[in-house]
Amino acid sequence: MRKSHGARGIVAVGAAMLALTACSPAVSTPGPTTSMPSMSMPTTSQSTSDQPVATNTVSIKNFAFDPAVITVKVGTTVTWTNADQDPHTVTSDGKSGPLNSKPFNQGDTFQYTFTQAGTFSYLCTIHPFMTATVTVTP
């Protein structure tokens, strides 16, 4: 059978808990954050989704085309810039297509002027997991 210490025991336990709480650092529930120390958040100019972006420039960085999906009008010249240390290509996906760059190095660019409407999928032949799409509208 347990021996009860009555109200004095409850007061003593409560005082001990209060003392421990006072010595502990404050704990709060984290709210929304805009950045994490180990992760850089994308800026508004970066596209990480498959939503089309109206632009005529594509950056090649971190082994990806950014943005991965763009929309331009017929007659627009699109410029790809390699920001990676490794060489990359911009090559139409499939047996035919208008995009066919030679490998280009960091800081180099490739340009192509789209003369007809359509959807043009492309990839880097050196790194075929790198894929993207240009949609050309009239």
Side-chain angles (χ1 to χ4, degrees):
M1 180 182 275
R2 273 175 79 176
K3 184 175 179 183
S4 174
H5 295 288
R8 258 187 324 169
I10 293 173
V11 170
V13 169
M17 290 178 67
L18 181 61
L20 285 174
T21 303
C23 294
S24 299
V27 177
S28 65
T29 305
T33 61
T34 56
S35 67
M36 295 174 60
S38 64
M39 178 180 176
S40 62
M41 301 299 285
T43 63
T44 55
S45 65
Q46 291 178 319
S47 171
T48 56
S49 71
D50 289 335
Q51 296 300 313
V53 176
T55 184
N56 66 338
T57 60
V58 177
S59 179
I60 303 170
K61 57 186 174 186
N62 300 319
F63 292 89
F65 296 104
D66 185 29
V69 180
I70 66 171
T71 301
V72 298
K73 292 190 177 289
V74 169
T76 301
T77 299
V78 176
T79 302
W80 288 264
T81 303
N82 184 357
D84 279 341
Q85 290 185 353
D86 289 28
H88 294 292
T89 69
V90 175
T91 307
S92 291
D93 193 12
K95 296 193 187 272
S96 63
L99 302 172
N100 191 18
S101 78
K102 292 185 179 345
F104 56 105
N105 295 314
Q106 185 177 34
D108 292 342
T109 61
F110 170 72
Q111 293 185 321
Y112 181 80
T113 302
F114 289 90
T115 58
Q116 59 183 348
T119 299
F120 303 91
S121 297
Y122 64 94
L123 56 88
C124 171
T125 57
I126 301 168
H127 311 100
F129 59 88
M130 295 173 54
T131 61
T133 305
V134 176
T135 300
V136 182
T137 60

